[in-house]
Each structure stands twice: as structure tokens, then as C-alpha cells.
Amino acid sequence: MTVKTDLQGRISSHRGAGENKAASRWEALQTVRFREPVKSSVDYRVTPVSEIFGINVFNRHVMRTLLPKAVYKALVRCLDYGEQLDPAMADIVANAMKDWAITKGATHFTHWFQPMTEQTAEKHDSFLVSGGPEGGAILEFSGKLLIQGEPDASSFPSGGIRSTFEARGYTGWDPTSPAYLMESTNGKTLCIPTVFCSYSGHALDKKTPLLRSLEALNRQAVRLLHLLGNREVRRVTSTVGPEQEYFLIDEAFYLARPDIINCGRALFGARPPKGQEMEDHYWGSIKERVLAFMMDAESELYKLGVPVKTRHNEVAPAQFEVAPVFESCNIATDHNLLLMEVFRKTAQKHGLRCLFHEKPFSGINGSGKHNNWSMADDDGNNLLEPGRTPHENTQFLVFLTAVVRAVHKYGGLLRAGIAHAGNDLRLGANEAPPAIMSVYLGDKLTEVVNALIEGQKELKSSDGKVVLKFGVSTLPHLPRDDSDRNRTSPFAFTGNKFEFRAVGSSQSIAFPNTVLNTIVAESLDYMATEIEKAVKAGQDVNAAAEKVVRDTLKENKRILFNGDNYSVEWQEEAARRGLPNMKNTVEALPEFIKDETKEIFTKYGVLTEDELIGRYNVRVANFCKTINIEWLLMKNIARTMILPAALEYQSKLAATIVQTKDAVSGINLTAQENMLRDLTDKITELLVALERLESPLGGSHGQNHHGETESPLMAKFYQEEVIPAMQEVREKADELEILVDDALWPLPKFREMLYIY
Ligand code: ADP
Ligand code: MG
């Protein structure tokens, strides 16, 4: 036998070539050693960013050049002010779109939509309509095809909204989000962002309610601004900048981890000796291969007009973050989905895998998506920017108060909107905000708010100087990058926007923002109505606004919390304040079907009762299915990978002991025997835990004793029985990982996956 010096050699010397069970792990280590950074197709030294940004987007610039003036103008009115587009114009737009796409190398188009799966969906259609009478190709794309598609909807979740006989769904063009060309190895596809509805008009997707919520927000915000004397404003939208966290691991490791392949997270794995405690990863210098990936993904995103801006190493080893420049809510949502897709694809090109799961590796930080949210008018003025004039200040305080009230009144719904199995592993785990919703305003603004609540007419600084006279002078300067910026708050005011930090990294931001837009719309409606009443009663509008702000803040102040959200004291304090603390998805989801939720969604035309219940059902089913898959996979890996390795080691140890006793008569092998005993005990414990995991559901595939699959009752059962049983199996298996011969261990270890690129 030749003894090699590399890792593969270690196996052959250990076990003799060919019979090695841990081969995939060792092969992975080998592969990673020889990886090189991959070059991107764009070289910025030749093509500057300004030349590639948006080249694959059918944006306003392109439309202005390609469309007749009247059509372009009508389209702009539709985009900026929500006016309906004359269907006759759609043919002209479609034709221009097709010519543009074909010139750039596209062969197909697709309606790109967002079913209730957290993913996107697409079915490609070629522009080719016939071979033509003379044998030449005829390519066509009509306004009708642009405006509406009819995909078979029967395989998308509807939560029971769509009856089975009505399998057809309809996709409808969303002109407010620009069409784009997606490049792939062998060509380009024209992607048209669309909504997705049933024949009866029920929303089967995430975009439709988002657009409806934006309409509701627009209506109430414009009404309030007009009331406050700001009459020029014609349209208000929310603005969103989602910071996206993710993990990268080498593809070779990924392929040797069936749990990460199928569940997006490691179901097993001992905590690595080195985690994040050295604090050496956060903002550390970015490794060459990773940076090559980031730059490549960014160049693809630039082409798609996605304004990615920041990149850095995050807290946990192998964890990173990317953030774009904020955009209007609908586009920011589409762009975040595109970003995730481009990141996934580009990672593969670089021999890496991008993990968006909230908690791929237990024992180190998980990933979230900080959803920065504000509102802006049609001139781009940020409505949450503290103003420079007394008038602007009043406006700022009114809008700020509306958000505070919304989070207080609908905190439960906000919590439910981010509830799913993955996020359960992260929220409240001393790294992410807790499941208790509260609002952080920072010290300066809290002083202002407290003075207002206490009915003071002016605010004085510690040296007695008047800093602010309400309704008369401007607000004191609110430092943007306050050193006391609170990283533990789920909903923090950060100078001129709110940062909703509890959103999960794998989630679409569509629904969390649908909730935000809707609950703020309701609050703006409330404030406008109250101010109107006072004005009708003869009060001056500014005085009325001040009073409504004061009263509303007073009523909702228990949601304000500037302290450490990770602390136990806050849990107790929040309980005293009566703030809900819904610890997991199963506790949070019923918020969807509460009367208040039905009322607000129907009142503002965002979701009908059926649509809401459908979404609740989808979420419940998704939770059940996720845990069920993890459960099945866990049994599978434990029985077919971990136990065989452990038993093999047990037999090796036993054989060694017997052989040694044979060879040396009377030798004392107590220590070795104890080693064997320890190992055997752990194996037994794993087996016992596995039996428990296998028994509670009667062993059948995703059904309890009553034959139920996905129901609220099943979800509760998964939460209370299956998850704890899974935790126990993991604990035992992870203990074995640090006992068993390393050469036999089949799964790449955390200490390898998180550090080796
Ligand atoms: P930090 O990590 O310090 O919070 P980042 O730069 O990582 O800051 O992310 C801040 C995000 O907030 C960016 O996406 C930024 O564009 C976005 N943002 C800034 N202003 C607004 C606004 N008015 N509305 C929505 N998002 C905003
Ligand atoms: Mg950030």
C-alpha cells in the first residue's frame, strides 16, 4: 500500500482504497484545496459601471427612445400617478419591447410572478408563432400577450381559495416594475413582472396585495398631506432598502450535506471549536474567491438595474451581507427577489453555494433581512425626514406618530407576517430581535416625544436653553448615526427611516411590506380623520395636528422601548406592558385570522377575507411541510450515515481491545474499555432518541394518527412533539461527532465548511 501525503491518502492508508465510507467528505476537502477565483464576464477597466447599469432593462430611457411620444407619456402617467393604461397602447408597447429584446438576443418571454411560495415562477414562451408560409420564422408579441397570461395554476399554493375545477390562473402585467432580460449561458429571456390571480379575481400571489397596500397608503398619505397644507403632493409611496444577509460555502461541501441540499440548513453538526467569538470576521478583509463572486453577482445585477451598494463580511464565519440603494417598495421587492436569484446562480458558477436560510448553522449567528422602510412623495421628499421648518416638523411628527401607532396596534400582525419555520430558529436567539414587537426612537427623539406627551410647550436642553417650541420652531438636530443606535430592536427609527429587523433572510419582503403599508395607511386614516374633526370644530390645523399627535403618542407609548431587547428584563417588562410575545410560528399565525386583521385588510381593499384565510392556510401548511421534510431527512441521515460511522468505530475499538488482550496476556485495558463504553452509550442514546422521533407520528409520511397532514392542529403537534424530539436526536448525534474517528465521519464538519474556501 502506498502512503500518500494528501487527505485522500489519509483515507487510503486508514482503510485501504475503495471501501471508504467518508469519501465524499474527503473528496470535498480535496476539491476545495484546488479552487481558484473565477473571472467575471464584465471587466470594469474596459466597461465602466455606467455603461452596463440597466442595459438589460426596458426602462424609461429605452421607452422614450422606442415609443411614440403619446404612448410614452401615457405610460409615464400610469407609472407615476397610477392612471390606467389604454389597452390599445399595449400593442405598441409590446411590439417595442419585443424588438428591443430580440435585438439584444432574446428568443423567449415569460410572465414572471410571485406565487405564495417565497419564490418566483416563470414559464417561458418563444416569440415564434409559426414557421411561416415560405418557411421563414414569424416572431410576434402582442399587447394581449403582454397584458395577460394564462398559466395552469393548479400546482401553486392557494390555501383553498381556488376551487379545483378552476385550475386556470391569470398573470397580469405590472407596468410599474420594468421588464428585463435575464441572461443565461445560451441566451436571454424577456421577463415581464406580473401579478397572479384566479379566474374570479382572487389574488394568488404576493405582488397583488402589495400593490393594493401601496394604493391604500397613497390614498391616506396624500389625504393627510393635503389636510396639513401640502397641496402639491400627488402621490406617496413607501420606499424600501432591504439589507440581505447570506452564507456562502463551497459547493463540494454542500454536495456532501444532504441536509443542506434538501432543507437549506445543517440538521446535524457539532459547534465548531472556533465560532464567531474572535470577532474577526465582521467587516474583515474579504477572501479573494468570495470577492470574485460578489463582484460577478454585482455586475449581473447592475445589468438588471438593481442598485447594489454595500458588501461586507457579517458576524458569523462564512456569513456576508449585501445592501442596495433603496427604491420604491414594489420595485425594491422585485429587485430583492432578483438579487437572491442572481446570487444563487452566480455562486454556483464560482463553485460556491449561497444559503439564504435563517439559521443554516446552529451555534453561530443566523441571517435576517433588515427591511429599511420610509415614505416619500412624488418629488422624492422623505416623509420621515425631520424637517427644517416648523411646518415640516409637524408633518414629520404626524407621520412618525402614525407609524408608532400602527406598530402598537398591529404588532401581532407584523409579527405573524415574518413567522415561518426558518425564522423561528433565529428570532429571540440573542442575535436577532426578539419576537416581541417594540419601537426604538433613540434618546433625542424620545425626549421630544416625552415632552410632547407631558404636554410641554417647549423642550429645553440640560443647560436650560429652549431647543424646541412645538409648532413654532424646528426640531433639534437628530443625529443620523447615533452612537447609541440600537441593534437589538425589531423596529428601530434610524434617523429618517424605520428599520424592521425581524424579517427572515429567505423570505420575500412582499408580505411584511404589505402589512406595514396597510397598518400605516390605517393609522394615517385615523390621524387625518381626527384632525379633520377638530378643524371642523373650528380649530387651527396645526394646533389640531399637535393635539392628535400628543394624544396618539400618549395612547401608544407602551410600544416604545430604547433598551436592550435581548435582555430577560425586557421580556418581563414587555409582559407587564401587555405586549404580545409570540415565540414561534404556531403561536403567531392565528393573528392572520383575527377579526381586527380581517377588518383592516378588507377595509383598505388589500385582501378579502378569503384571500386572507388562504394565506393563513398556506403558512400553516408551509410550516408543517418544512418540519416534516426536516424530520424525514433527519431520520434518514441518522440511520444511513451517522449510525453506520459510529457503529464502525465501535467495532474497530472492540476489535482492538480483543486483539490487544490476545496479544498481551493480563494487560489492563480499563481506559480503552471505558472509551468503548462511552461510545456505545452514546450510540444507544442516539438510537433511543431516534425511536422517539420515529414513533410520535406512527411512522407514516407526514400524517398523525388521524390521517391529518397540514392543519393548525398538526402544526402544533410538530411544534410540541416533533421539534423537541428532533433536537434530542441532533444533540446525541453531535456528541458522537466529537467521539468518532474523524476519518470515518461522513458529513463535512462546521469547522471545515465555515472556514475553507
Ligand atoms: P446599516 O447597516 O447601517 O443599517 P446599510 O447601508 O447597510 O446601513 O443599509 C441601509 C439601507 O437603508 C440601504 O439599503 C439604504 O438605501 C436604505 N435606506 C436609506 N434611506 C432610506 C429610505 N428613506 N427609505 C428606505 N430605505 C432607505
Ligand atoms: Mg447593514
Side-chain angles (χ1 to χ4, degrees):
M1 187 174 71
T2 52
V3 178
K4 295 188 204 152
T5 49
D6 58 24
L7 290 165
Q8 192 60 44
R10 241 183 100 189
I11 316 162
S12 21
S13 61
H14 250 293
R15 314 179 37 80
E19 52 162 297
N20 159 49
K21 290 210 181 64
S24 56
R25 173 167 162 240
W26 295 110
E27 270 164 32
L29 280 160
Q30 272 301 79
T31 309
V32 183
R33 278 179 50 186
F34 298 106
R35 294 271 203 218
E36 296 278 349
V38 176
K39 264 195 165 339
S40 142
S41 56
V42 175
D43 182 345
Y44 293 121
R45 288 163 301 189
V46 182
T47 328
V49 175
S50 55
E51 271 175 41
I52 64 159
F53 193 85
I55 50 163
N56 283 341
V57 186
F58 194 71
N59 55 25
R60 287 191 191 205
H61 172 72
V62 175
M63 289 193 271
R64 201 178 48 221
T65 3
L66 298 182
L67 292 174
K69 220 182 196 153
V71 178
Y72 175 69
K73 279 192 169 160
L75 203 51
V76 166
R77 279 200 304 278
C78 160
L79 301 184
D80 290 347
Y81 303 112
E83 281 180 23
Q84 286 278 321
L85 186 72
D86 178 357
M89 298 204 173
D91 266 329
I92 302 171
V93 178
N95 207 40
M97 216 185 251
K98 178 202 73 185
D99 289 346
W100 170 80
I102 290 175
T103 316
K104 292 176 91 57
T107 52
H108 287 62
F109 71 94
T110 182
H111 278 195
W112 181 76
F113 59 101
Q114 302 162 28
M116 293 187 267
T117 53
E118 307 298 325
Q119 309 280 324
T120 58
E122 55 192 39
K123 179 193 167 216
H124 300 193
D125 235 310
S126 106
F127 290 119
L128 188 76
V129 285
S130 84
E134 291 160 20
I138 297 180
L139 305 181
E140 245 178 48
F141 186 51
S142 65
K144 200 171 146 271
L145 287 174
L146 166 65
I147 289 180
Q148 200 181 78
E150 286 185 35
D152 180 350
S154 53
S155 294
F156 293 107
S158 79
I161 300 174
R162 189 203 50 240
S163 30
T164 31
F165 62 85
E166 194 197 281
R168 284 235 166 271
Y170 292 84
T171 47
W173 180 34
D174 167 20
T176 61
S177 182
Y180 57 90
L181 292 170
M182 192 51 116
E183 285 184 27
S184 50
T185 312
N186 291 325
K188 292 182 188 171
T189 307
L190 172 66
C191 301
I192 300 155
T194 55
V195 294
F196 178 46
C197 297
S198 73
Y199 178 73
S200 44
H202 279 114
L204 294 173
D205 68 341
K206 291 177 181 271
K207 190 190 261 281
T208 307
L210 181 69
L211 291 174
R212 293 175 183 160
S213 74
L214 283 165
E215 208 32 62
L217 182 74
N218 169 54
R219 228 174 299 127
Q220 299 306 330
V222 169
R223 172 181 163 215
L224 188 52
L225 286 172
H226 287 185
L227 186 61
L228 294 173
N230 194 344
R231 294 194 184 281
E232 262 80 83
V233 172
R234 292 176 65 186
R235 203 162 172 82
V236 168
T237 183
S238 58
T239 52
V240 172
E243 301 165 47
Q244 176 75 54
E245 293 179 333
Y246 60 96
F247 278 82
L248 285 175
I249 60 168
D250 193 278
E251 185 164 52
F253 292 136
Y254 173 87
L255 294 175
R257 294 282 322 207
D259 45 0
I260 303 183
I261 294 177
N262 288 287
C263 302
R265 75 177 180 105
L267 297 174
F268 295 100
R271 213 189 154 115
K274 179 179 188 288
Q276 62 199 41
E277 62 277 54
M278 301 297 281
E279 295 173 335
D280 52 357
H281 193 256
Y282 189 62
W283 287 24
S285 104
I286 304 171
K287 286 188 179 132
E288 191 53 36
R289 252 184 93 202
V290 172
L291 189 57
F293 152 77
M294 288 176 171
M295 289 185 162
D296 199 5
E298 285 163 6
S299 69
E300 290 307 312
L301 288 165
Y302 286 154
K303 291 188 212 165
L304 293 165
V306 180
V308 272
K309 184 152 170 76
T310 66
R311 54 164 108 105
H312 64 81
N313 288 2
E314 254 303 326
V315 168
Q319 192 187 27
F320 308 92
E321 183 187 296
V322 52
V325 177
F326 71 93
E327 299 177 278
S328 70
C329 182
N330 180 32
I331 293 182
T333 304
D334 286 0
H335 279 175
N336 180 251
L337 287 163
L338 266 180
L339 180 146
M340 291 170 80
E341 186 180 331
V342 167
F343 265 48
R344 278 195 201 101
K345 282 186 185 163
T346 312
Q348 264 176 273
K349 185 176 141 192
H350 288 250
L352 297 164
R353 287 294 177 136
C354 185
L355 311 179
F356 287 115
H357 195 282
E358 283 72 17
K359 196 78 177 178
F361 305 101
S362 69
I364 56 171
N365 261 34
S367 299
K369 186 134 59 186
H370 293 178
N371 190 80
N372 293 273
W373 184 95
S374 189
M375 291 162 279
D377 67 19
D378 42 339
D379 270 339
N381 299 307
N382 181 352
L383 301 179
L384 290 176
E385 180 80 52
R388 275 168 307 233
T389 65
H391 175 75
E392 283 174 348
N393 277 339
T394 306
Q395 188 180 299
F396 164 71
L397 286 172
V398 170
F399 278 85
L400 180 91
T401 303
V403 179
V404 170
R405 178 182 174 280
V407 177
H408 182 221
K409 195 162 174 213
Y410 295 101
L413 179 56
L414 212 47
R415 164 70 184 94
I418 50 140
H420 57 106
N423 222 7
D424 281 358
L425 298 169
R426 165 184 171 259
L427 292 182
N430 257 8
E431 56 170 85
I436 308 163
M437 290 297 134
S438 68
V439 175
Y440 167 86
L441 290 181
D443 293 342
K444 277 270 165 40
L445 195 53
T446 303
E447 248 179 64
V448 174
V449 163
N450 285 340
L452 262 170
I453 290 176
E454 284 154 24
Q456 294 171 22
K457 281 282 165 210
E458 54 188 31
L459 181 67
K460 287 183 182 153
S461 63
S462 48
D463 54 7
K465 264 206 235 138
V466 175
V467 189
L468 168 73
K469 267 195 161 70
F470 292 114
V472 181
S473 63
T474 60
L475 276 171
H477 178 64
L478 300 171
R480 181 87 33 96
D481 280 300
D482 237 336
S483 53
D484 65 355
R485 271 185 59 171
N486 189 326
R487 288 263 157 210
T488 67
S489 171
F491 205 91
F493 185 70
T494 50
N496 62 356
K497 60 180 161 47
F498 278 97
E499 194 170 328
F500 183 24
R501 302 208 180 102
V503 183
S505 50
S506 72
Q507 248 192 303
S508 157
I509 56 171
F511 193 71
N513 282 307
T514 301
V515 173
L516 258 175
N517 295 335
T518 311
I519 64 179
V520 173
E522 191 269 346
S523 268
L524 293 172
D525 183 1
Y526 167 82
M527 310 248 329
T529 308
E530 291 301 302
I531 296 171
E532 272 166 4
K533 271 192 229 160
V535 170
K536 242 189 208 142
Q539 232 179 4
D540 159 71
V541 68
N542 281 315
E546 194 189 316
K547 181 166 183 322
V548 173
V549 164
R550 174 171 294 140
D551 293 347
T552 311
L553 285 173
K554 213 184 271 179
E555 274 163 34
N556 295 282
K557 70 173 183 209
R558 68 172 182 160
I559 195 73
L560 301 178
F561 180 63
N562 283 351
D564 179 3
N565 283 255
Y566 295 173
S567 68
V568 185
E569 291 79 33
W570 171 232
Q571 309 248 344
E572 293 161 4
E573 166 69 15
R576 271 195 297 279
R577 292 190 192 185
L579 294 174
N581 182 4
M582 293 170 262
K583 295 205 177 65
N584 53 50
T585 302
V586 174
E587 282 180 37
L589 288 186
E591 291 289 315
F592 270 78
I593 46 171
K594 266 172 54 175
D595 286 345
E596 295 98 285
T597 310
K598 289 179 188 164
E599 218 172 281
I600 185 174
F601 277 134
T602 50
K603 178 169 179 194
Y604 295 95
V606 174
L607 289 169
T608 64
E609 203 170 316
D610 286 353
E611 289 171 335
L612 186 61
I613 292 169
R615 271 151 190 80
Y616 167 73
N617 290 337
V618 168
R619 292 258 180 160
V620 170
N622 184 281
F623 179 83
C624 293
K625 289 173 189 168
T626 304
I627 307 298
N628 189 53
I629 293 168
E630 292 186 347
W631 170 65
L632 292 172
L633 201 60
M634 188 160 220
K635 289 190 294 187
N636 192 308
I637 294 175
R639 290 234 178 251
T640 63
M641 297 178 86
I642 292 175
L643 275 170
L647 289 171
E648 178 142 11
Y649 184 46
Q650 175 184 311
S651 117
K652 259 173 74 173
L653 270 182
T656 307
I657 290 169
V658 172
Q659 281 167 17
T660 312
K661 279 189 173 164
D662 272 358
V664 192
S665 65
I667 192 163
N668 180 356
L669 288 179
T670 313
Q672 273 97 324
E673 280 164 5
N674 284 344
M675 200 174 153
L676 178 58
R677 198 165 288 124
D678 275 356
L679 177 74
T680 314
D681 285 350
K682 283 275 173 282
I683 294 174
T684 308
E685 285 170 23
L686 174 59
L687 278 166
V688 170
L690 258 176
E691 274 165 21
R692 188 180 151 210
L693 188 63
E694 283 162 353
S695 65
L697 299 183
S700 59
H701 192 110
Q703 286 187 353
N704 70 2
H705 318 292
H706 311 296
E708 278 185 317
T709 47
E710 300 116 17
S711 66
L713 206 68
M714 258 319 258
K716 204 159 170 280
F717 185 68
Y718 277 117
Q719 179 64 44
E720 288 169 6
E721 303 289 332
V722 179
I723 290 178
M726 279 172 59
Q727 275 160 353
E728 207 174 308
V729 168
R730 173 167 195 164
E731 211 173 277
K732 301 301 168 201
D734 290 357
E735 281 168 12
L736 279 171
E737 184 187 313
I738 48 179
L739 280 186
V740 170
D741 181 359
D742 187 61
L744 297 174
W745 198 258
L747 299 166
K749 297 184 173 181
F750 284 16
R751 62 161 198 248
E752 295 153 355
M753 284 190 286
L754 297 172
Y755 292 97
I756 309 176
Y757 288 104

